[in-house]
Each structure stands twice: as C-alpha cells, then as structure tokens.
Amino acid sequence: MKHFLLLFLLMLLLSGCATVERAAVKEFSYPSERAYTHFSLGSAYSRNMAPEAAIGEFKLALKYDPDSIFIRQALADEYVKGNKTTEAIQVLQDLYEKNKNPETGVSLAKIYLEDEKPAQALGILENIVKAYPLNSPAYFYLGNTYFRLDRLDESVLAFKKSAENDRGNESTYYNLGLVLSKKADLAGAEKAYLKAVELDPLYISPQYALGLLYQYLSRYNEALGRYTIVENLTPYDVKVYVRIGITLSQLNRNDEAVEYLNKASALSPDDADPYFRLGLVYKRLKKGKEALLMLNKALELDGGNREFLQVKGAIQIENGDTEGALLTFTELNVKAPEEAAGYLYLSYLYNKKKAAKAAVSVLEQGVSRLPENTDLKLYLGGAYLDAKDYDRAELQYRALLVLQPADSRGNYYLGVCCERKKYYSEALLRFRNTIKSDPQNADALNYLGFMYADSGENLEEAYTFLKKACELEPGNGAFLDSLGWALYKLGRNDEARIKTEEAVKLLKDNGQEDSVVFEHLGDIYLKGAANDKAKKLYELSVNTDPGNENAKKKLKQLQNSVR
C-alpha cells in the first residue's frame, strides 16, 4: 500500500494536442526581416540548450514585432527553462490581457501549475472552458488544477470532458487514471490506464501505473507483465528492476527476485533501496546472515531511515541476537523518538530478558512521549496487568478508550482488569463491547461465557458464547473446559464430562495441565456419583496447584464422607 500511494505524489503529465477554437485575430501580416532573423537565432540557441542567449534574441525580435504571439510564447518557454517563472508569467499575462487568446491562457495556466500555483490557474482555465467548451487542452489542465486543489470529483469530470473533445490523447486517460486511483475507484483507474496504453503501447507511465495497481490488488502475474513491458521500453531502469524484484518475491520466485535486485544495486550502488529489498527477500528465505548484511549496506547509505532500522532489529531478533536488537531499537528511539515501534520492540526484548521493570520503564517513556498512541497504552496496560498492578493497568485502558471508545482490545483488557478487581458488572459490559466490535474475538466470548456459567446466570447465552469460542479455536483446551462447565451448570452432565475430559487431554498434550480444569472434572464425576474418579481428580488438582483451596476443601469433604 505504501508504494502504491506514492504514485499520487508524481507530477501529472502536462500535455495536450487537441485543436483549439481560436479567437478572432487581425489580418495576418508578415514579421519584419529583423524580427525573423532574431527569432531564428533565438530558436537555434534554444535547440542548443542556451536559454540566456535565446532570451536575448527573442527580446530583440519583440522590438521589431511587439505583437507576435509566437515570439512571446517562445520567450516565455525560455524563461521557464531557465527557472525564471516570474518573468514567464509576466510575459504571458501581458499577452493574455491584450488578446484573450485561449492558447495563451492555457500556456499561462500551465506555468502557474508548474510553479505550484493552482489557485491562479483555476480562474483562467474556468473562463476559457466557458468561452470555448470544445477546448480539450483547457479541460486537461483544469483537471490537473482540480487535482492539485484536491477537488477530485471535478477533476474527473474535467478529464472526461477533455477526453470527449480529443479521444486520441493518451495522456488524458493516464491522468484520469491517477485521479480515480486517488479516489479509490480502482476499476475505473484500470480502465483509464488500459485506454492510455491502447492508444500508445509505448507510453511508459500508464504501463508502470498498471503494474503498481495490479501489485496492490495482489494480481502479481499481471503486475509482472506490465513491469516487463516497461523494462523492455526502458532497459537498465533501477526503479523497474526493484519493482520486478518485489513482484517476483511476492510470487515466491525468490531466486529471480534476488537476481533483479542485484542488477538494481549494481546499476545504482549508492541507492539504499535495492539493498533493503534484498534484505527483505533474504529475510523471507530465512537467510538471516545475508539479510543482515544487506540491511547494514542500506543503513550505510541511509543511516537515519527508521524503516531500515526496524527491519534490521527484527532480523536480529529472528537470528537470536537479543543484544544486537536492543542496540538497534535503542538507536531507532534516539533517531526517531516519535516512532512507537522502537518502544514496543524494546519492551518485548526486555521481557525476553526477564527484565520486566526495564520493559515497563521504556513503555512509560513511550506513553509520555506519544500520549495519543493507543498501542503504547495497550502494551503498558498489559505490563501492569502482568505485574498484577491492576490500578495502573485500568488507568491505561481507560485512557485508551477515551481516544478510541470502540477499540476491541482496550475493551477486552479493561474487562479482564475489572474481573480481577471484582468489578463484575463492568467486566461483563466490556466483554460485550468487545464482541460488538469484534464478533470473532474468541477470548472475549470465552471470558463472557465462563463468567455467566460460573455465576449460574444466562446459561443458555453462556453456552452459545462458549460454543462459538470453541468453533473459532477448536484446539483450545481452556475454552473446551469453559464449555464443559456451562453444560454442567445446565444439567447436561454426560456432555459436560465428554467435553471436560477432552479439555484435560488437550491441555496435557500441550504441557498445560490446569488445576481448575481437574477440579471441574472432579465436580462432574461427583455429580455422576463416580466418587473414586472425583477423588483422583481433586488430588490431581491439589498436586498441580497446592494453593487451590476449593479443591482441597472438596477433597477433604469427599474423604470424610467415605469414613
């Protein structure tokens, strides 16, 4: 998505070739010989890339033919070439005020656009299209102007009008595609780009735009086809090699991707991007050493690039180099303190090192620095929750929900926090809010269903929630235990036993034996008068967690009843 959006920052191609309705002009008279001589000399200087000399000759030509549109237009063009837009605008303004010729007005508007002054171009072009409704170039530049002013609907209409008046102008369709892309009308954009290349198969810009569009839509083979056309039209283009390399990697043709990206880096050894892309391909191939080498090369060329630093740190984590990753993400924090990723990764690495206080500290720094970032609040709340500091956790989650009231993560973890603090009513509300925002949130479904089952309330609804949670995560033993518990409370003891026995097996297979699950199964056996089995389950529960007082009490009662 990131590279696709960069397309809209490109300057629109400013070209047009329609026949323009002309204003009435004076009877033609030939220019003087001297004017013609200076004009010819100016033209020669212009062809030889000598704008200052050309300007001098065109000025002399105007002395002998001051009313010449052609000489003034040529003079304005040379001013533009020499980056003297103020002088160019003055020449064309004076001329346009005199003759109101639409070609002069379009030229003036074009220079305003090149000088990033769309507001000045707008009035001129709107007046021209009113007076000359068949003027395709005026509509073309009006479309450009509306685009730059972010008036996208009007831009689309202007380009369509330009195309109606000149159906053979491929540039119009390309620019229309750009506007439709920005409006997220991707089907319309594709159609416009295809029309542009139909009119001119050698037109590179719409071919490249189609490649970007197809890549964004995950139509990678079609994207590759368009990039290959561009490669054939412009051999040795680094940008095209990089796009082909990325697309090949997306097609899992990684060896070919490496080949193209190596071509790009060889052609442009001072460009960091090909090295970065190579690093991503090697990362995908699980070649950590090569990936890190490429990221280091990229950072040698662009040491402040936060994306490069973030990917390098991620590669170091994958390579098992915790200390190196800590250094990289610390560097990211120094160079880009406004980047949340640095704080988040550092907290993860400190937790990995069992340095919980350091993890909390770095997240607190992040929240202080970036108070509007909800991810940082979420993870800081999680750190407090892990430390059983429920009051501080609650503050973070509530602050998150002030910023984003419907955030399913914030609602879920605030629900957990409230349950731990015995705010049961609010906990239930928060879990319901979570499910409303995220109906597939299995954790919230399980938590809500279990709370109802455990309290004996809303048992049918609890069963529905828990059944859905188990369908979403069929291998989750804890969820299966909750479902068994709801069935037990509903009096469906045989079904409860089957589900809970399955939960015990699943948890055991995953090395996660749970005292409460053993206790639940004991209760189910006891209700079914299988006292010996119940006794064994309570014993397992106590052995698994000696602090389970409920299981101890039930075991003692059962032992006393046997005596």
Side-chain angles (χ1 to χ4, degrees):
M1 178 63 175
K2 175 177 144 181
H3 298 286
F4 177 71
L5 291 177
L6 287 176
L7 181 63
F8 306 124
L9 300 179
L10 296 174
M11 179 176 289
L12 299 174
L13 295 181
L14 301 175
S15 62
C17 58
T19 300
V20 181
E21 288 187 311
R22 299 180 182 276
V25 294
K26 295 185 297 182
E27 184 178 347
F28 180 78
S29 61
Y30 287 98
S32 71
E33 184 178 342
R34 287 188 177 184
Y36 181 80
T37 299
H38 288 297
F39 180 80
S40 298
L41 284 170
S43 298
Y45 282 128
S46 177
R47 287 193 297 273
N48 286 281
M49 308 302 290
E52 289 299 328
I55 287 169
E57 293 298 333
F58 289 142
K59 283 182 174 179
L60 288 171
L62 279 173
K63 283 187 178 181
Y64 299 103
D65 190 0
D67 295 326
S68 171
I69 295 173
F70 301 105
I71 298 172
R72 289 182 182 276
Q73 182 66 61
L75 177 59
D77 290 342
E78 291 307 310
Y79 278 136
V80 171
K81 290 179 186 176
N83 293 318
K84 296 181 176 181
T85 53
T86 302
E87 292 87 340
I89 287 169
Q90 188 61 56
V91 169
L92 290 176
Q93 271 183 337
D94 292 344
L95 183 60
Y96 187 54
E97 286 173 6
K98 290 178 181 177
N99 64 18
K100 295 300 179 184
N101 186 293
E103 290 180 345
T104 304
V106 169
S107 296
L108 177 58
K110 178 181 174 181
I111 294 173
Y112 275 132
L113 287 172
E114 290 171 352
D115 200 32
E116 300 299 329
K117 295 176 180 176
Q120 286 88 329
L122 182 62
I124 296 169
L125 293 167
E126 287 183 333
N127 286 333
I128 291 172
V129 298
K130 284 178 184 176
Y132 302 93
L134 299 180
N135 191 312
S136 180
Y139 276 113
F140 178 87
Y141 291 110
L142 184 59
N144 274 269
T145 303
Y146 285 137
F147 181 85
R148 307 227 185 154
L149 294 170
D150 205 32
R151 292 164 61 174
L152 300 183
D153 291 338
E154 292 164 286
S155 180
V156 168
L157 292 174
F159 281 123
K160 285 183 175 180
K161 197 71 178 176
S162 178
E164 285 176 15
N165 294 332
D166 180 8
R167 296 185 182 277
N169 190 336
E170 65 277 4
S171 185
T172 301
Y173 290 102
Y174 168 60
N175 282 270
L176 175 60
L178 292 179
V179 183
L180 292 170
S181 292
K182 192 170 183 182
K183 281 172 59 64
D185 180 1
L186 303 186
E190 180 185 10
K191 185 177 179 181
Y193 294 144
L194 287 171
K195 182 64 178 178
V197 299
E198 177 191 324
L199 291 168
D200 183 2
L202 303 182
Y203 190 6
I204 292 170
S205 295
Q207 297 280 13
Y208 189 78
L210 280 166
L212 291 171
L213 177 62
Y214 292 145
Q215 201 168 12
Y216 175 74
L217 295 171
S218 301
R219 292 160 60 180
Y220 300 126
N221 282 307
E222 291 171 271
L224 184 61
R226 294 296 167 177
Y227 291 140
T228 302
I229 291 171
V230 177
E231 180 191 11
N232 292 331
L233 293 172
T234 58
Y236 311 112
D237 186 320
V238 172
K239 178 180 69 173
V240 176
Y241 282 158
V242 169
R243 297 312 308 180
I244 290 176
I246 295 170
T247 308
L248 286 167
S249 180
Q250 289 167 326
L251 287 166
N252 290 316
R253 294 164 59 179
N254 292 298
D255 290 340
E256 295 169 85
V258 168
E259 181 184 341
Y260 268 93
L261 292 168
N262 274 325
K263 283 183 186 178
S265 63
L267 282 170
S268 185
D270 294 329
D271 185 350
D273 191 52
Y275 296 112
F276 172 64
R277 301 295 173 183
L278 273 166
L280 291 176
V281 175
Y282 284 131
K283 181 178 183 291
R284 189 172 183 177
L285 290 169
K286 307 297 182 186
K287 293 184 176 181
K289 183 178 178 181
E290 292 89 341
L292 191 60
L293 178 64
M294 290 299 108
L295 262 296
N296 283 331
K297 282 188 176 181
L299 284 163
E300 285 173 14
L301 296 166
D302 186 1
N305 189 301
R306 63 189 68 182
E307 187 178 6
F308 294 0
L309 284 168
Q310 188 171 330
V311 173
K312 177 184 175 180
I315 292 168
Q316 288 171 315
I317 291 172
E318 289 179 5
N319 290 351
D321 182 7
T322 301
E323 295 302 323
L326 276 169
L327 290 173
T328 299
F329 286 113
T330 299
E331 183 181 353
L332 176 62
N333 261 14
V334 171
K335 290 183 175 178
E338 73 286 356
E339 188 70 44
Y343 303 102
L344 294 171
Y345 271 108
L346 282 172
S347 68
Y348 163 78
L349 290 164
Y350 283 129
N351 278 322
K352 193 174 181 181
K353 292 183 67 175
K354 310 296 183 187
K357 287 185 178 180
V360 169
S361 176
V362 76
L363 287 169
E364 287 174 339
Q365 291 172 30
V367 168
S368 175
R369 180 92 191 188
L370 304 168
E372 303 298 309
N373 188 286
T374 55
D375 286 336
L376 288 167
K377 293 185 189 303
L378 182 75
Y379 282 93
L380 180 55
Y384 289 142
L385 202 60
D386 289 342
K388 295 183 171 52
D389 190 345
Y390 301 129
D391 290 339
R392 287 186 177 182
E394 180 185 354
L395 287 174
Q396 291 304 316
Y397 296 136
R398 291 195 188 281
L400 185 160
L401 291 168
V402 167
L403 296 170
Q404 293 186 10
D407 189 292
S408 61
R409 306 165 308 165
N411 273 296
Y412 173 75
Y413 284 106
L414 181 55
V416 173
C417 196
C418 287
E419 190 273 335
R420 302 276 173 87
K421 294 181 73 172
K422 303 188 187 310
Y423 301 163
Y424 296 125
S425 295
E426 185 173 3
L428 293 169
L429 173 65
R430 294 298 172 182
F431 292 136
R432 283 192 178 275
N433 286 349
T434 304
I435 294 166
K436 183 178 179 181
S437 299
D438 180 10
Q440 307 302 310
N441 191 313
D443 289 315
L445 288 163
N446 176 67
Y447 225 126
L448 182 59
F450 182 79
M451 285 185 70
Y452 279 135
D454 206 41
S455 66
E457 299 174 2
N458 298 337
L459 291 175
E460 290 295 343
E461 189 179 26
Y463 172 76
T464 300
F465 289 141
L466 294 166
K467 187 171 180 288
K468 185 174 180 180
C470 290
E471 288 169 355
L472 290 167
E473 294 188 23
N476 191 312
F479 291 0
L480 205 56
D481 168 64
S482 297
L483 180 60
W485 194 237
L487 288 165
Y488 169 77
K489 289 297 188 84
L490 282 165
R492 295 159 62 176
N493 211 57
D494 289 341
E495 294 173 81
R497 175 182 53 77
I498 291 169
K499 295 296 183 185
T500 311
E501 285 176 343
E502 190 179 342
V504 168
K505 185 178 183 304
L506 276 172
L507 290 167
K508 184 177 181 180
D509 290 346
N510 292 322
Q512 299 174 333
E513 293 185 335
D514 189 289
S515 173
V516 174
V517 178
F518 287 136
E519 181 190 345
H520 285 169
L521 187 54
D523 291 348
I524 293 166
Y525 280 136
L526 188 61
K527 188 174 182 180
N531 291 8
D532 289 342
K533 287 185 177 181
K535 178 174 176 292
K536 288 180 182 178
L537 266 297
Y538 292 142
E539 287 172 347
L540 276 173
S541 179
V542 173
N543 290 337
T544 304
D545 178 11
N548 188 332
E549 297 300 328
N550 284 335
K552 283 181 183 178
K553 183 178 178 182
K554 291 172 184 176
L555 178 59
K556 188 174 180 179
Q557 288 174 344
L558 194 56
Q559 288 170 337
N560 290 338
S561 68
V562 172
R563 295 174 190 170

